[in-house]
Amino acid sequence: MDVDSVECLSLPDAAMDADDVGLATLHPHGALLAAASSRATATFPNPKGGGGGAGGMVAPGSSVHELLECPVCTNSMYPPIHQCQNGHTLCSTCKARVHNRCPTCRQELGDIRCLALEKVAESLELPCKYYTLGCPEIFPYYSKIKHEALCSFRPYNCPYAGSECSVTGDIPYLVNHLRDDHKVDMHSGCTFNHRYVKSNPREVENATWMLTVFHCFGQYFCLHFEAFQLGMAPVYMAFLRFMGDENEARNYSYSLEVGANGRKMVWEGTPRSVRDSHRKVRDSHDGLLIQRNMALFFSGGDRKELKLRITGRIWKEQQTPEGACVPILCS
C-alpha cells in the first residue's frame, strides 16, 4: 500500500482519541496511521480461540499490516523504521541495501525515523508469518521476529550438499525434490551397507560424494559420505541427518562401522537435524571421521584405490516397564 496515494482522510471527531491525535502530529500521514490504529483489533481469528481483544491482533493483508510491509523485501518492518523526507518507509535491513536512496521516490534517505509507525507497531499483536503452514502462535510485535527464526513450522532447506540448492519446503516436498531433481537414491529400512570407491584417493575435492535417503520408523534420514581437506590432510566422513526438527531427532540413534584386515572403526551417535546445515555438521566432525592413511589401510591392495565399505543401522530406544532402555529396530 502506497501511503502517498492517500493525501487526506476525513474522520468523525469521535473516531480519534488522544493517542490518535498524537499519531496525527508525528507523521505526514498521521491521520491515516491514526485510523489504522483504531481499526487494529480483532481482524484475524485467534487459532487458540477467542477474539482479537484489546491487544490489537492484525491480519496479514489488513491496512495496518500493509503499512508495516517493507516495500523492498515485503517483510514486516520493526523498529527502527526509516523514512525519507516524503514519508516513504522501509526497514532498517533494506536501508543499508539501497545505498541511502528511497526506493520509491529516489530521494536521499538520511537518518529520519518514522516514530508514528513504530508506535503503531509496538501496540500490535501479530500471527507468526508461518500461520499458513500451521503455526497457531500470536506474539507482540517485538517477540514475533525472534519466534519466527526458530518456529518449528518454518520451511526446511534442501539437505542436498552437492550444489547450492535454494529450494525450501516441508519434508514430503523435499523428499520428492531429492528423488526427482537430485536423483538421490531412496531406500527403506533401518540398516545399510554401502561401498564407496574412488580411483585416485589423493585427489580430494571439497564436495559431497554421496547422499542416500532412508525411510524407517515413518521418518526420513539422510546419509552423507564425502571427502574434504582437514588442514593439510584429506579425510573421509560419514554422518546421518534427520529430516525433521532437533527435538524429534533426539528420539533416534545410529551407528556407522568401517573396517578390513582385522581392524574396524565404529561410530555411535544421535542424528543431527537438517535444520543444522550440512557444512555446520561436517565442520563439527559429528560423525565417522576416517584419516586417509587409515582409509587406504581398510581398502587393502596396493593402497592406490579407495575401497571403503560402511555398514550401519538406525534405531529408536524404548523404555521398558522396568525402566530399562532397549533399542527398537524398524520392521
Side-chain angles (χ1 to χ4, degrees):
M1 178 177 181
D2 187 351
V3 295
D4 265 3
S5 64
V6 183
E7 291 300 327
C8 63
L9 182 64
S10 177
L11 291 173
D13 292 340
M16 294 181 66
D17 57 21
D19 286 341
D20 294 336
V21 173
L23 287 177
T25 61
L26 287 171
H27 190 273
H29 303 291
L32 177 61
L33 289 175
S37 179
S38 69
R39 293 197 300 269
T41 58
T43 56
F44 187 82
N46 190 338
K48 296 180 178 179
M57 186 167 56
V58 179
S62 69
S63 58
V64 177
H65 187 271
E66 290 172 356
L67 279 172
L68 294 172
E69 183 180 276
C70 174
V72 179
C73 64
T74 71
N75 292 327
S76 295
M77 295 184 289
Y78 57 96
I81 299 174
H82 299 274
Q83 70 174 29
C84 72
Q85 294 181 351
N86 293 324
H88 303 123
T89 56
L90 78 165
C91 71
S92 57
T93 301
C94 290
K95 181 179 184 291
R97 293 164 47 191
V98 298
H99 306 295
N100 206 37
R101 289 286 175 185
C102 174
T104 303
C105 66
R106 309 307 299 170
Q107 295 295 314
E108 186 174 350
L109 283 172
D111 293 311
I112 306 173
R113 293 269 293 276
C114 184
L115 301 181
L117 201 54
E118 289 182 7
K119 185 176 180 180
V120 172
E122 292 170 0
S123 69
L124 301 181
E125 288 186 346
L126 297 171
C128 171
K129 72 177 180 180
Y130 302 118
Y131 79 98
T132 58
L133 300 178
C135 182
E137 300 297 335
I138 297 165
F139 294 93
Y141 200 75
Y142 287 110
S143 302
K144 176 176 178 286
I145 304 300
K146 293 181 180 179
H147 161 79
E148 288 171 351
L150 300 173
C151 178
S152 60
F153 290 90
R154 71 191 189 277
Y156 294 88
N157 295 322
C158 172
Y160 190 79
S163 63
E164 295 297 328
C165 183
S166 60
V167 170
T168 62
D170 59 18
I171 297 302
Y173 176 82
L174 289 181
V175 169
N176 292 333
H177 165 68
L178 288 171
R179 182 192 62 224
D180 299 337
D181 298 330
H182 293 298
K183 310 303 179 185
V184 169
D185 289 335
M186 302 282 175
H187 296 272
S188 295
C190 55
T191 61
F192 41 88
N193 186 337
H194 285 279
R195 188 166 180 259
Y196 301 95
V197 178
K198 187 172 178 61
S199 58
N200 187 353
R202 299 184 184 280
E203 293 180 1
V204 177
E205 296 179 357
N206 195 13
T208 297
W209 282 13
M210 183 175 291
L211 169 63
T212 307
V213 173
F214 293 89
H215 181 244
C216 58
F217 299 106
Q219 307 287 349
Y220 290 93
F221 300 82
C222 295
L223 176 64
H224 297 266
F225 183 82
E226 66 176 84
F228 63 96
Q229 202 80 15
L230 182 60
M232 299 298 294
V235 296
Y236 309 98
M237 184 175 178
F239 56 92
L240 196 72
R241 287 200 292 168
F242 173 73
M243 296 188 71
D245 280 334
E246 181 180 355
N247 291 336
E248 295 179 88
R250 294 195 188 106
N251 296 325
Y252 302 92
S253 298
Y254 76 102
S255 66
L256 297 171
E257 181 178 314
V258 60
N261 300 324
R263 307 287 189 273
K264 69 178 179 181
M265 295 175 62
V266 179
W267 165 269
E268 285 193 6
T270 301
R272 297 281 286 270
S273 166
V274 291
R275 294 288 191 200
D276 289 335
S277 69
H278 164 269
R279 181 176 291 276
K280 180 179 180 180
V281 178
R282 190 197 72 183
D283 291 349
S284 68
H285 304 164
D286 192 1
L288 178 64
L289 202 65
I290 313 165
Q291 301 292 336
R292 184 177 64 181
N293 287 341
M294 184 62 71
L296 293 175
F297 176 80
F298 288 149
S299 299
D302 56 8
R303 299 166 62 94
K304 293 182 178 179
E305 185 177 41
L306 183 71
K307 297 178 182 178
L308 290 178
R309 182 176 297 278
I310 295 181
T311 60
R313 66 188 181 109
I314 305 167
W315 69 89
K316 188 175 185 179
E317 291 191 348
Q318 184 172 332
Q319 196 169 39
T320 66
E322 293 77 21
C325 290
V326 295
I328 304 297
L329 294 176
C330 62
S331 57

